[in-house]
Amino acid sequence: MNPLVDIDWRGLWTERDSKRKAPDDADYWDLRAQEFGAYQEGDNASGYSDSFIEFLELLPGETVLDMGCGNGGLAIPLAKAGHPVMAADFSPKMLEMLTQHCKDAGVQGIDVRQFSWTDNWEDSGIASKSVDVAVASRSIMVRDLWDAFERLGRVARRKAAATLATDFGPRSSHVIGEEKDGMPFLPDYIYGLNILFKMGYHPELRYISSLKREASGAFRSIKWAFISWEV
């Protein structure tokens, strides 16, 4: 075995992910929808959405799929910048809040769709090469990361992008290399970069500073890995 090329990063992700907390379902996010606005306020204060859109380097008028859009923290500023957006999420309450936020802000140009990572996307109206750019902002909490990347690349005509955890994760927080469930801990973005290389892409990596809300209500500074790749 050549460790530089033969590591099964897809299998390693699936193995590790199967040992940690299961991804939260739509019912969970329906319950969180009302309070999620507070997190968005923190993100806006730290410039997360602005940095994400800057790093996308969109061309004028390009169409965007925002997969796992939540209540519109990214979709709304994208629409304000003149980009037609398909905003998708599996939580109907999140989509209700997004729709209300659009009305409150007088924002148009967002096509709201309800579907998940594992649904048949074509049945949900998102066909192959139907948008210019497909993104997932902190929304890839899936058992099969390869499949998620494949789906984004399949629907995009030019580029795909995602943000993944660096030194922490939505379902885990450990020291790099620390033994966890019989495996050394690596942050999500390390798996993501290597999976994309194995898929034949040449991903670009940047970092976005953001704020994470603690149980106390205070915010602390964290970093997300912004990964983009041409399709």
Side-chain angles (χ1 to χ4, degrees):
M1 176 179 177
N2 184 335
L4 295 178
V5 295
D6 294 338
I7 294 175
D8 179 11
W9 287 98
R10 183 181 194 176
L12 287 174
W13 170 275
T14 302
E15 180 184 356
R16 190 191 70 145
D17 200 76
S18 67
K19 295 178 180 178
R20 61 183 180 177
K21 180 180 177 290
D24 297 310
D25 59 17
D27 290 339
Y28 171 84
W29 286 108
D30 280 349
L31 294 172
R32 290 284 307 279
Q34 194 66 43
E35 67 175 89
F36 202 65
Y39 288 86
Q40 300 292 57
E41 290 168 12
D43 291 339
N44 292 340
S46 68
Y48 174 89
S49 298
D50 290 342
S51 293
F52 192 107
I53 293 171
E54 177 187 349
F55 290 170
L56 276 179
E57 299 177 339
L58 294 170
L59 302 177
E62 282 195 308
T63 56
V64 181
L65 168 67
D66 180 9
M67 182 59 194
C69 63
N71 62 8
L74 187 64
I76 289 175
L78 280 169
K80 285 182 175 179
H83 299 283
V85 179
M86 179 181 289
D89 204 289
F90 67 175
S91 165
K93 290 295 184 182
M94 283 289 189
L95 296 178
E96 285 179 15
M97 291 198 68
L98 166 59
T99 300
Q100 186 59 51
H101 290 170
C102 288
K103 290 180 180 178
D104 293 343
V107 173
Q108 298 180 341
I110 298 180
D111 178 9
V112 177
R113 304 288 181 95
Q114 184 183 341
F115 59 89
S116 73
W117 282 105
T118 55
D119 286 339
N120 186 313
W121 286 16
E122 289 204 0
D123 288 349
S124 302
I126 177 73
S128 175
K129 305 305 177 189
S130 58
V131 295
D132 295 307
V133 178
V135 305
S137 173
R138 300 176 300 187
S139 65
I140 303 185
M141 288 174 277
V142 295
R143 283 286 185 256
D144 190 343
L145 188 56
W146 183 297
D147 178 68
F149 286 159
E150 214 168 41
R151 287 170 181 258
L152 292 175
R154 187 182 306 128
V155 301
R157 288 187 286 264
R158 187 174 74 84
K159 177 190 287 188
T163 41
L164 295 173
T166 55
D167 61 337
F168 78 102
R171 291 173 286 152
S172 61
S173 182
H174 306 285
V175 176
I176 292 178
E178 174 187 351
E179 194 76 7
K180 178 64 176 175
D181 296 324
M183 299 178 67
F185 173 76
L186 290 174
D188 290 0
Y189 83 102
I190 298 297
Y191 291 89
L193 285 171
N194 283 284
I195 285 173
L196 286 165
F197 277 121
K198 294 282 280 190
M199 294 174 73
Y201 294 116
H202 298 282
E204 296 185 8
L205 172 65
R206 303 186 192 182
Y207 295 98
I208 298 178
S209 295
S210 182
L211 297 175
K212 177 177 174 60
R213 187 169 186 164
E214 305 285 9
S216 64
F219 289 94
R220 70 178 174 91
S221 179
I222 59 174
K223 287 188 182 295
W224 289 87
F226 175 93
I227 303 173
S228 61
W229 59 102
E230 302 288 337
V231 299

